[in-house]
Amino acid sequence: MIQRIKRLLGIGKPDPSRGNSIIVNVEKLERRVALLEDGVLEEYTVEREGDQNIVGGIFKGKVKNIEPGLKAMFVDIGLDKNAFLHFWDAIPAALDSGLEEIQREGRQKKQQKKITSKDIPDIYPIGSEIVIQVSKGPIGTKGPRVTTNISLAGRYLVLMPFTEQFGISRKIEDPKERQRLRRIVQKLSVPEGMGIIMRTVASGTRARHFVRDLAMLLEQWDEIEEKRATRPAPACIFQEPGLIERTARDFLTDEIDQVLCDDAETTELIRDIAGKISRRAKRRVHHLATGHQPIFEKVSIQKQIDEAFSRQVWLPCGGYIVIDETEALISVDVNTGRNRGSKDVDKMILETNVEAAQEVARQLRLRNIGGLVVVDFIDMRHRKDQQTVYKAMKDRLKKDKAKTQVLQISPIGLMEMTRQRLNESLRDSMYEPCPYCQGRGRVKTPMTMSVEIQRRLNSVIQKHRDHVGDLIVIVNSDVLNRFKSDDAKLLVELERSHSGRLIFRSDPSLHRERFAVIDAATEKTIDQA
C-alpha cells in the first residue's frame, strides 16, 4: 500500500514490474507506447513517420454517389478511397446502452422530426457538402467508415455539437458518485443545441476540472467551425492528436502509477500535458536514460512484444492457444499441450480453458484485432465449468476500451464474440503478405512440384520435338533431390520420349515453386514458372 502511494505521488525509483506503467519509446522513424500491468504487456501501439491517423478526424466532404441497394453513400474526403457512409450513420444517434441519459434543468426536451434512412438521400443529395467524422479507419481494400454524429473527446467530457443529449458512463457504478456527477452536468453552461457525455475517468473529479475541459472543447469546436466555413470541400477540418498526446490524454489517469520515456523532449511534452490535468500526474512522468540499450529491452518487455506476432501462445498451465487471422473472422484454438499432470481430467480442462479465456481477451487487446472472433475451447462436460470460463472472459474484457459482445459457449464448445475494430491490426500494420506464398503461409511440396514439372516437360517435348535437342531444367534443390531419388525412373522414361538429353541443374536461391526449361543450344528459355 505504501509503495502504491509513493508511486502515485511520484516518490521513489520507478519500477515497471509493479503497478500500472506506460513505457514510451521515441525514435526518428517510429514512436511506440506500451501499457504494462504488473510487468505484463496489455496494450502496444506504434506510430510511424508519415502515418496518417484519421480515426476521430472531422472532414468536410462531398457526396459522390448514393447506393440505395447498400443503403449507403460514398463521400469524397480528399483521400485515395472515398469514405463509406451508411444511412444509419447519418441518422441522429441516440445514446447507447453504456450511457445514462440526464435531463437538463429548466429545459424541456424538444420534439424533433424523426429522420429515417429513407430521408437521407434527400437530405444529402449527390454533390452536396457534408461534415462527417471517421469512425473506422481504412482496413485492407475498404475505405474509411464515417458518421455525421460528430463528437469531440476531452479529458473528462465528450462534446456532441449536433445533439442536445446529456449522459454519464454506466461504468461509474457508485450511486453517490453518479448523483454528484448528475448535479455537475446539470449546472454546466453548455450552448444551446449541444450535448455532453461524462467519461468513466470523470469519477472523483472536481467540478472545476469539468468547467476547464468544457471550455477547451468549445474553443476547439469554434476553430473547427471556422475551418468549415472557409475551406472548400474536400478538406480535413480536425485531426486527432498524435500518439504521444493521445496517450497523455486517455491513459494518464489515477490508475497509472508511472510513465517512463527514453526521450527528454517528449518527456517534457507529456509533463506539460499532464500538468494541465493535475500536478500530481505531472510528478509521475519520468525520463529514463537508457544509453545505447532500447528502453523496451531495459524494462524487459521486448520478448512480450515479439510474442504478439506469434501464432502460438503458451499458457502458464502448459496449455497453449493458436490464433489465426482470416478475412472473415479471427479463429482461436485451445489445446492442453503439456498440461497433463492432473489426475482429475475435468479440473485440468477447466484450468486450461480459464487461462485460455483470460489470455484470448489480453491478446485481442494487445494485437488490436477485432471483428468476429470464434474461440474453440476444449470440450467441457459440465455447464457450471462453461459458465466459469464465460465469466473469466467477461471479467478480463472489462479492461478493454473497445466495445465487445460475448455469447455463451455453444453446445459444440465454441464461444462467439465481436470486438470493435477501428484500425488495422498490429500484424497488418507491421507486416505485408509474403511475395512467395501470397499470404497463404504454405508452399507446394517437392512431390507436387515434381508432378507439375514433369507435366510441363512432356508438353514442351511434344510441342518442340522436331527442332529442339538437349534441354536444361533449372529447379530448386529440394525438387532436384526428389528427381534423383524417388522419380529417377520416370525421368529416364520421359527422356527416352525425347530426341535430346534432359539436363537437370539446381539453384538453391530459386523458390521451390519456380523452374525454367532452357534450350541448351540457343540458351533461350522455352518455358518457366
Side-chain angles (χ1 to χ4, degrees):
M1 184 66 185
I2 294 170
Q3 292 297 324
R4 167 81 175 163
I5 294 168
K6 278 185 175 181
R7 286 198 297 269
L8 282 171
L9 295 173
I11 303 169
K13 190 178 179 182
D15 183 5
S17 64
R18 293 187 178 183
N20 298 333
S21 310
I22 292 174
I23 314 297
V24 181
N25 169 230
V26 178
E27 296 170 357
K28 284 185 171 66
L29 293 176
E30 189 175 73
R31 289 159 294 283
R32 301 187 292 170
V33 173
L35 172 65
L36 306 184
E37 292 181 9
D38 293 323
V40 178
L41 183 65
E42 292 290 332
E43 282 195 33
Y44 177 64
T45 314
V46 179
E47 180 184 77
R48 289 179 168 167
E49 201 63 38
D51 281 356
Q52 188 182 15
N53 175 44
I54 63 168
V55 175
I58 301 174
F59 291 80
K60 181 181 178 181
K62 193 171 279 189
V63 178
K64 278 294 177 186
N65 59 311
I66 298 172
E67 299 287 347
L70 291 173
K71 288 195 172 179
M73 60 180 72
F74 291 91
V75 184
D76 178 13
I77 58 174
L79 302 179
D80 293 339
K81 291 178 182 173
N82 288 339
F84 179 85
L85 176 63
H86 200 284
F87 290 173
W88 295 332
D89 293 322
I91 298 170
L95 290 179
D96 63 36
S97 57
L99 299 163
E100 175 200 356
E101 189 169 0
I102 307 298
Q103 190 64 42
R104 296 177 71 174
E105 280 185 346
R107 290 196 191 180
Q108 292 294 321
K109 203 170 182 180
K110 290 181 182 178
Q111 290 295 322
Q112 293 180 328
K113 184 192 170 187
K114 193 171 181 183
I115 298 172
T116 66
S117 60
K118 291 178 182 177
D119 303 319
I120 300 304
D122 296 325
I123 298 171
Y124 305 112
I126 292 174
S128 62
E129 292 187 348
I130 182 171
V131 176
I132 45 87
Q133 186 169 33
V134 178
S135 57
K136 193 175 182 181
I139 297 172
T141 57
K142 296 176 182 176
R145 185 161 180 171
V146 297
T147 176
T148 59
N149 295 294
I150 310 293
S151 62
L152 278 180
R155 173 67 180 167
Y156 306 108
L157 303 172
V158 175
L159 177 70
M160 298 182 295
F162 298 145
T163 175
E164 288 193 319
Q165 290 179 317
F166 276 44
I168 297 178
S169 168
R170 291 190 192 276
K171 287 184 180 178
I172 302 170
E173 294 174 350
D174 183 6
K176 288 183 180 177
E177 179 60 17
R178 294 188 69 82
Q179 188 60 41
R180 184 185 77 87
L181 292 174
R182 278 191 206 102
R183 288 197 295 269
I184 292 172
V185 164
Q186 289 169 342
K187 288 177 183 175
L188 286 173
S189 56
V190 182
E192 193 77 34
M194 293 188 180
I196 54 170
I197 295 169
M198 279 200 165
R199 303 177 71 177
T200 310
V201 291
S203 181
T205 305
R206 293 179 184 177
R208 57 188 170 88
H209 291 296
F210 297 112
V211 174
R212 191 191 310 159
D213 206 31
L214 178 60
M216 288 171 66
L217 288 171
L218 290 172
E219 188 181 322
Q220 202 173 59
W221 180 246
D222 287 342
E223 290 175 8
I224 292 168
E225 285 280 68
E226 187 182 339
K227 288 178 183 176
R228 176 190 178 187
T230 56
R231 293 187 182 180
C236 177
I237 54 178
F238 170 76
Q239 193 166 7
E240 273 280 282
L243 176 61
I244 306 300
E245 292 89 337
R246 288 201 314 274
T247 299
R249 181 190 71 190
D250 297 338
F251 282 108
L252 202 48
T253 64
D254 287 339
E255 293 176 358
I256 298 298
D257 300 309
Q258 59 215 343
V259 178
L260 304 178
C261 179
D262 60 358
D263 181 69
E265 193 177 324
T266 306
T267 304
E268 285 306 311
L269 172 64
I270 297 171
R271 279 180 181 153
D272 288 343
I273 298 169
K276 294 174 184 175
I277 300 163
S278 72
R279 275 176 287 180
R280 193 194 304 167
K282 189 175 180 177
R283 288 198 294 268
R284 282 180 259 149
V285 182
H286 307 276
H287 174 235
L288 185 65
T290 60
H292 295 294
Q293 186 183 21
I295 189 171
F296 283 5
E297 287 183 15
K298 192 173 181 71
V299 298
S300 305
I301 58 169
Q302 187 59 49
K303 190 182 176 206
Q304 293 186 59
I305 292 169
D306 295 338
E307 286 172 355
F309 300 105
S310 298
R311 184 169 172 261
Q312 186 172 303
V313 181
W314 287 95
L315 305 172
C317 68
Y320 64 91
I321 61 174
V322 178
I323 303 172
D324 284 310
E325 294 184 47
T326 70
E327 195 75 25
L329 53 81
I330 312 300
S331 70
V332 185
D333 186 33
V334 181
N335 297 285
T336 52
R338 296 191 290 259
N339 188 14
R340 304 183 191 280
S342 177
K343 291 180 182 178
D344 187 341
V345 177
D346 288 343
K347 186 179 177 183
M348 180 265 288
I349 289 173
L350 177 61
E351 178 190 31
T352 306
N353 281 340
V354 167
E355 285 189 9
Q358 293 170 339
E359 187 60 32
V360 167
R362 172 178 170 259
Q363 290 292 332
L364 292 178
R365 185 182 174 196
L366 176 58
R367 297 174 187 229
N368 190 30
I369 49 181
L372 180 61
V373 182
V374 178
V375 187
D376 182 11
F377 287 105
I378 303 162
D379 288 340
M380 293 170 282
R381 291 188 295 173
H382 306 297
R383 188 66 190 165
K384 185 178 76 173
D385 290 350
Q386 292 182 5
Q387 283 297 112
T388 303
V389 173
Y390 174 73
K391 187 175 183 301
M393 177 72 84
K394 291 279 283 184
D395 289 346
R396 194 66 169 78
L397 285 170
K398 285 179 181 176
K399 296 181 179 181
D400 197 343
K401 288 185 177 179
K403 292 176 184 176
T404 54
Q405 184 179 6
V406 187
L407 301 182
Q408 295 275 2
I409 295 174
S410 71
I412 57 173
L414 300 179
M415 178 185 281
E416 296 169 67
M417 59 183 290
T418 59
R419 182 178 184 272
Q420 183 184 23
R421 181 162 61 175
L422 299 178
N423 281 308
E424 287 187 316
S425 68
L426 191 61
R427 187 196 71 166
D428 287 345
S429 64
M430 300 192 72
Y431 285 74
E432 62 182 20
C434 169
Y436 293 112
C437 69
Q438 303 301 323
R440 295 195 311 266
R442 302 275 178 175
V443 292
K444 292 177 180 177
T445 63
M447 182 177 181
T448 303
M449 288 311 302
S450 176
V451 171
E452 290 187 7
I453 292 169
Q454 288 180 62
R455 189 180 297 134
R456 295 278 281 271
L457 273 174
N458 201 35
S459 298
V460 168
I461 289 168
Q462 296 299 322
K463 189 175 179 181
H464 302 280
R465 181 183 296 276
D466 299 329
H467 52 275
V468 171
D470 295 351
L471 294 173
I472 299 171
V473 185
I474 300 174
V475 295
N476 175 272
S477 304
D478 295 337
V479 180
L480 185 63
N481 291 336
R482 168 88 195 186
F483 284 162
K484 286 179 178 177
S485 55
D486 301 339
D487 301 336
K489 288 182 181 178
L490 294 171
L491 291 170
V492 169
E493 287 178 20
L494 187 63
E495 191 175 42
R496 282 177 187 159
S497 68
H498 180 49
S499 55
R501 290 180 305 155
L502 295 179
I503 305 160
F504 292 92
R505 291 178 186 168
S506 73
D507 181 354
S509 64
L510 192 67
H511 188 262
R512 187 186 286 175
E513 295 181 11
R514 302 283 176 261
F515 65 88
V517 181
I518 300 169
D519 184 346
T522 62
E523 295 187 355
K524 285 185 178 179
T525 302
I526 300 172
D527 194 7
Q528 64 179 1

